[in-house]
Amino acid sequence: MSKFPKITNTYFMAIVATVGGMLFGFDISSMSAIVITDQYIEFFNNPSGIIQGAIGSALAAGSVVGSLMAGPISDKWGRRDSIMFACLWWLVGTAVQVSTNGVGSLIAGRVLNGVCVGITSSQVPVYLAEIAKRDSRGRIIIIQQLAIEWGILIMYFVGYGCSAIPGPASFRTAWGIQFVPCVVLMIGLPFLPRSPRWLAKVGREQEAIQTLADIQAGGNKDDPLVIAEWEEIYTVLVAEREATRGWKKFFANGMWKRTLAGTSVQAWQQMSGANVIVYYIGYVFLMADLQGNVNLISSGIQYALFIIFTTIMFFFIDNTGRRTLLVYGAIGMAVCHFVVGGLLGTYSIDVPEGVGGNANVVIKVTGAPAHGVIAFSYLLIIVYALTLAPVAWIYAAEVWSLGTRATGMSLAAVANWLFNFALGLFTPPAFLNIKYKVFIIFGVLCIGAAIQAWLTYPETCGKTIEEVSLLFAKGAPVAWKTKKGGSRLEAEIEAVLNRKERGEVVNAEVHPGPEKVAPSEEEAKETV
C-alpha cells in the first residue's frame, strides 16, 4: 500500500476508516429487519429463547476474539493494515451467511464477521485519535459512531425491501449486500497514511514527522504546531520506553486507573441497554402491539432518529465535556427504562402463544400505554445518540498512553463485546421469563454508570492525548474537579514562535539514538 498516493485530509481519512464501523451497523440491522419476517421464521423453524439469543450474540462472540487479536496485530503491522486484515474475515463470514443451510452455519458466519468487527471497532478509534487535532478529536471519532448508525439504517431498509422477496432469497439477498461496504473500505485504505504516532513508536521518526506535518500543516515540517506536537509525542514516547513492559504496564504506576476508565466506559455502553433495544426493537414494538409493516417502518424511524441526533452532537462534542454527557446521559436513559418497564409491568397482558405468532414476545400493551412504550423507546435512543453512543468510543480511545493504546483499546473493546455477547444471549430468554423487569434492570445499571462516571472519569475534552496522561498521574485532581480545555499546547506553540523570533533554528528533529523497530517475536509473545 506504500506505493499509493496518500490523502491527508483528516475528514477524508476518518470517513474511509470508519467504513469499518459501517460493517458493524450492517450486521446489526441485517438481523433486526429479518428476525420478524415470515421467511426467516419459516426457514430457521421459528428460533426463540436461547437459540435466537445465540444467533443474535454470535457477532459479539466473534468480536471478543477479534478484539483480543487486534492489539498485537496493530502494534506490529500498524493501525491501517490491521483494518485491512479485518476485512478478510468479513468477506469469508458474509459468504458463509449468504450460503447458510441452517442455524449452525448462520451462527458460524456471524462469528467470522464478528472477528472483523472486533478488530475494526477497537483499532479505527485508535487510528482516528492518533491522527486528529486535539480541538477536533471528538468530531473525528464521532464519525465512527455515525458510520455505525448509517450502516444500521441502510441495511435495515435493505432488509425491509428484501422482505418482499419470497423464500430464503429474501435474507440471502439482504446479507449479500454486506459485501459492498467491505470492498469500498478495502479500496480506500491504501490511500490513507499510517498513524504518525505508530510510526514514532516503531522508530520511523522521519516518516512520523512528515506524516504529522502533512496532516496538521499541509506538509510544512517547520510549522510551530508540528514542532510543538512532535516534541510532546517524543517526550512521552521516551518515558514510555523506559516504563514497565508486558501486561504489568496496564496496572503499574497508577495505570490501573486508565485501564479501569477505558474498559468500564465501554462496558457501561452495553449495560445501558440501548444496544439491546437497537438489536431487538422489533420485539419491543411487538410488545406495543405494532405488527407487520407498521412494526418494520416504526423500527426504521428509530434508526433515523439515531443518525439525526448523533449528527447534532457532531457539531457540539468538542465544546461539551465528556463527563457531562456520560453522567447525565446515563441518568436520562435510566428514566426511559423505568418508564417503559413501569408501563409494561402495569398494563401488559400475557400472550402465551406469542404476539403475532412470534415465540419471543409473550406480553403486550395497547392504547395509551403502548404509545408510551413507543415514545420512551424513541426517547431512549435519542438520549443514547447524544451521549453514551459516541462518547464511550471517544473516551475509551483517549485515555491510553501511546505504548498501551492499541492493546488498551482492544481491552476496552473486549469489555464492550463481552457484555454485548452476554446481553444479546440474555435478552430473548429474559423477554420470555422476566418480561418487563428487563427494563428495570437496565435502568438500575444506568444509575450505576452515572455514579462511576462522576467518581472516576476525569475530563479529557480539549487536551492532547499526551496531556491526558497527567489526569491519571499521582497527585492529579479528583475526577469531579477536572474541567475541559486548559491544554498546554498553546503555550508550547508560543514558545516555539518566540524562539524563532530570536533567530533560533527550530524544527521537528529526528532525535539521535538507536531506532526502535517493530516488536520482535519475543515482545509480541510477551504482549499477548
Side-chain angles (χ1 to χ4, degrees):
M1 290 193 277
S2 60
K3 295 182 180 179
F4 286 81
K6 298 298 180 278
I7 300 174
T8 54
N9 177 277
T10 307
Y11 287 100
F12 173 84
M13 291 187 287
I15 289 169
V16 171
T18 55
V19 175
M22 187 174 285
L23 299 180
F24 175 26
F26 264 58
D27 203 88
I28 287 177
S29 56
S30 71
M31 296 305 297
S32 298
I34 297 296
V35 293
I36 60 175
T37 63
D38 293 337
Q39 297 94 319
Y40 175 89
I41 292 172
E42 180 180 345
F43 186 86
F44 293 104
N45 195 27
N46 198 5
S48 62
I50 195 67
I51 295 176
Q52 181 56 47
I55 295 171
S57 62
L59 176 80
S63 297
V64 171
V65 176
S67 298
L68 288 169
M69 295 165 53
I73 291 171
S74 181
D75 279 336
K76 187 167 187 177
W77 294 351
R79 317 325 187 194
R80 182 195 65 190
D81 293 0
S82 67
I83 299 169
M84 180 65 83
F85 173 71
C87 292
L88 303 179
W89 292 87
W90 184 269
L91 295 177
V92 176
T94 300
V96 172
Q97 285 188 70
V98 171
S99 60
T100 183
N101 61 1
V103 169
S105 57
L106 176 59
I107 290 174
R110 285 178 58 75
V111 168
L112 292 171
N113 276 16
V115 174
C116 168
V117 171
I119 297 172
T120 57
S121 65
S122 63
Q123 298 312 304
V124 169
V126 169
Y127 181 75
L128 299 180
E130 292 186 347
I131 64 169
K133 297 178 181 178
R134 62 175 177 79
D135 57 356
S136 62
R137 189 170 60 244
R139 289 197 301 275
I140 293 299
I141 300 178
I142 209 174
I143 295 174
Q144 160 86 348
Q145 181 63 33
L146 280 169
I148 294 171
E149 294 165 15
W150 273 108
I152 292 172
L153 182 69
I154 293 169
M155 191 62 200
Y156 185 84
F157 281 105
V158 166
Y160 173 69
C162 290
S163 66
I165 301 173
S170 169
F171 52 79
R172 295 191 199 278
T173 302
W175 293 340
I177 299 294
Q178 294 179 117
F179 283 115
V180 176
C182 184
V183 172
V184 170
L185 179 58
M186 295 178 78
I187 292 171
L189 280 173
F191 297 96
L192 303 188
R194 292 185 180 277
S195 159
R197 286 172 169 85
W198 178 80
L199 289 168
K201 182 177 183 291
V202 299
R204 293 159 61 173
E205 294 184 10
Q206 192 64 55
E207 286 182 70
I209 293 169
Q210 186 59 61
T211 303
L212 186 66
D214 290 341
I215 294 171
Q216 304 280 37
N220 180 12
K221 292 190 288 187
D222 295 326
D223 186 279
L225 172 60
V226 174
I227 295 167
E229 189 159 351
W230 171 250
E231 288 303 319
E232 189 171 68
I233 291 170
Y234 187 79
T235 300
V236 171
L237 184 59
V238 168
E240 289 182 2
R241 285 175 178 170
E242 298 170 356
T244 307
R245 310 188 85 183
W247 284 107
K248 289 182 181 178
K249 66 186 176 185
F250 290 97
F251 304 98
N253 302 321
M255 189 66 193
W256 66 270
K257 297 177 185 177
R258 291 203 249 189
T259 302
L260 176 64
T263 55
S264 63
V265 74
Q266 287 282 288
W268 285 123
Q269 189 195 52
Q270 291 303 317
M271 287 190 287
S272 70
N275 274 350
V276 169
I277 300 298
V278 172
Y279 270 77
Y280 295 116
I281 187 65
Y283 293 167
V284 176
F285 282 174
L286 277 175
M287 294 178 194
D289 204 28
L290 295 182
Q291 301 183 37
N293 280 340
V294 175
N295 185 306
L296 288 168
I297 293 171
S298 299
S299 300
I301 291 172
Q302 174 206 237
Y303 301 132
L305 290 172
F306 209 166
I307 291 173
I308 290 168
F309 285 91
T310 303
T311 302
I312 291 171
M313 186 49 62
F314 173 85
F315 297 100
F316 298 99
I317 191 72
D318 288 307
N319 298 317
T320 310
R322 316 287 195 238
R323 282 173 49 80
T324 302
L325 294 172
L326 289 170
V327 171
Y328 291 105
I331 293 172
M333 291 175 67
V335 172
C336 293
H337 279 303
F338 289 143
V339 171
V340 171
L343 289 170
L344 290 172
T346 304
Y347 298 103
S348 66
I349 59 173
D350 289 333
V351 186
E353 70 278 12
V355 179
N358 193 305
N360 288 285
V361 183
V362 292
I363 60 171
K364 75 173 182 178
V365 291
T366 57
H371 299 155
V373 168
I374 295 167
F376 277 88
S377 295
Y378 282 151
L379 184 59
L380 175 74
I381 290 301
I382 290 171
V383 175
Y384 181 61
L386 290 170
T387 57
L388 268 73
V391 179
W393 291 109
I394 295 168
Y395 197 80
E398 290 176 327
V399 299
W400 306 99
S401 64
L402 178 56
T404 61
R405 188 166 299 118
T407 302
M409 190 61 199
S410 293
L411 289 175
V414 166
N416 184 299
W417 289 113
L418 277 174
F419 281 97
N420 189 306
F421 170 74
L423 294 173
L425 193 63
F426 153 84
T427 301
F431 281 157
L432 288 173
N433 296 309
I434 61 174
K435 303 169 186 174
Y436 73 91
K437 295 173 186 174
V438 172
F439 298 97
I440 305 300
I441 291 171
F442 284 133
V444 172
L445 289 171
C446 285
I447 297 297
I451 292 170
Q452 187 187 349
W454 177 262
L455 293 174
T456 67
Y457 295 171
E459 183 56 70
T460 59
C461 182
K463 298 173 175 64
T464 68
I465 51 179
E466 284 71 33
E467 288 173 328
V468 170
S469 301
L470 301 176
L471 298 173
F472 294 92
K474 186 176 181 180
V478 291
W480 58 88
K481 291 187 177 180
T482 56
K483 300 184 182 300
K484 66 186 180 72
S487 175
R488 67 189 181 195
L489 190 60
E490 286 91 347
E492 293 171 355
I493 294 171
E494 187 66 28
V496 171
L497 290 170
N498 290 338
R499 289 167 64 192
K500 285 193 171 189
E501 287 177 4
R502 294 195 299 268
E504 296 181 34
V505 177
V506 186
N507 51 41
E509 301 178 51
V510 176
H511 295 265
E515 283 200 342
K516 181 175 175 63
V517 295
S520 66
E521 290 185 9
E522 291 183 1
E523 288 175 317
K525 288 177 183 175
E526 181 179 315
T527 304
V528 174

